[in-house]
Amino acid sequence: MTTLPLALKLANQPCLVVGGGEVAWRKIQTLLGSGARVVVVATFVSEEVREQCSAAGIRVHERPFRDDDVAGALLVVAATGDPAVNAGVQRACEEHRVLVNCVDDAEHSTAQFPAIVNRGPVTIGISTQGTSPTLARRLREQIEALLPDSLGPLATYLGGRRGQVKEALPESHARQKFWDHALDSELVDLVATGQIDRADERLSEMLTAPVKAGIVSLVGAGPGDPDLMTLKALHRLQRADVVYHDKLVGAGVLDRCRRDSRRVDVGRRSGDGVDVATRQASINSRLAADARQGMRVVRLKGGDPLVFGRGGEEIAWLAEQGVPFEVVPGITAGLGCAAIAGIPLTHRDWAQSVRFVTGQVHRDTHPDWPELAKPDQTLVVYMGLRALRRLCERLMGAGAAATMSAVAISRATLPGQRVVPGTIGDLGDRVQEAALEGPLTTIIGRVASFARMDRP
Ligand SMILES: C[S@@+](CC[C@H](N)C(=O)[O-])C[C@H]1O[C@@H](n2cnc3c(N)ncnc32)[C@H](O)[C@@H]1O
């Protein structure tokens, strides 16, 4: 990061705008919105800007810029449209150690105006450090769409009750917990609908009742691309005190966790000598122990927690132990793979059902191969990289045609995703030739012939 986002209090502070055109006027308006005392210096001032400045009570000096104009200003904006004049303003600011924004020239600016989203006292500034104002505007639009108008009144309400809560809960951790709890309660709706008296009653009740005990949230992280997580999953990550995650969960997803949350990788390590049952037992007891201490625990799993994810075992354990839990579903890998490869998992003519199956077939499991080999369905095979060849052979042995379409998809929705199409007769060779790596999922059935390799 080469710039630091900082919120400046500009009320009554002297700010100088050099320039008198449309761009300068936009900056003047932004500064006025923050209560700044604006002075304008420009050799040319458009009629419109002159009128608007006069209406806003702004002093305008119609003359060339002089270096000492910047003296005493807190912030200067160079918006002349003339690079030579802007450079002069920038030099003067450097000399007088005044912050300067040169419009459309991030390199010579010591201050930049972020794209702003405003909801009352809540202000969000978006900066791309001058790399792409268009991207910043796009992000602003997306954030605008996400934030309700009621956020402003809510922030004002909360600000007005901080003293009361601080007095009741002097300890800062307890206070943070209380506020988190309050923001998940009906208090938010009461304020949004203007029922302030009822909101106050509820707040007082919550201050006297103990804050809810901890909970374990089994959260699905989706197939890899963090944007494919659900809003609820994101919400849980941002509130979590501790996150126990699998190896498959990538950095892109973990970056969305609350900054000060504890993150624990409980993924399997080859060669660490810990057997599966022991590892699972240790995870189970850590989840329960943390929740009992009142923590918000997230058990984060790739895809959906209840699809080939041992989520069922964790739920059973938590229920047995009386630990509150919830499940937040995620997009399972098979769906992510189908989407990136453009494969419809069901099709009116070709596939009337879908089966999610594991490629890890153990000696003591006996899949119904003739059933799996039937042509009018789609098989989505998880964890099948090593066993792919054997799986295809078993299907052919059970009557499936060697020409049945099959597609291997690796790292779906992640950088480096690959789609390798073939048939059950040759997919093993193709995957080997392409040197595909895990995680890899295979989709088998007539619908696999839809696979498109030209997807980004
Ligand atoms: C232990 S299972 C977990 C499945 C997960 N719970 C889900 O719902 O997707 C791991 C398998 O999921 C599949 N998988 C997970 N992420 C994938 C991805 N990004 N691309 C392809 N396959 C993936 C692979 O078959 C991998 O071996």
Side-chain angles (χ1 to χ4, degrees), residues 220-225 246 248 268 301-311 330-337 340 356-360 380-385 408-414 417-418 437-442:
D225 177 351
D246 284 346
L248 258 188
R268 208 172 340 145
K301 290 165 176 286
D304 181 274
L306 301 182
V307 176
F308 298 127
R310 292 185 164 257
I331 295 180
T332 187
L335 300 187
C337 289
I340 67 123
F356 290 175
V357 297
T358 167
Q360 284 185 356
V380 181
V381 187
Y382 289 67
M383 299 178 278
L385 177 57
I409 299 142
S410 77
R411 295 185 55 81
T413 81
L414 287 165
Q417 65 186 15
R418 309 264 314 267
E437 288 177 358
L440 176 137
T441 296
T442 306

Side-chain angles (χ1 to χ4, degrees), residues 247 267-273 279:
K247 208 153 46 98
R268 208 172 340 145
R269 298 264 168 285
S270 59
D272 66 2
R279 180 188 315 282

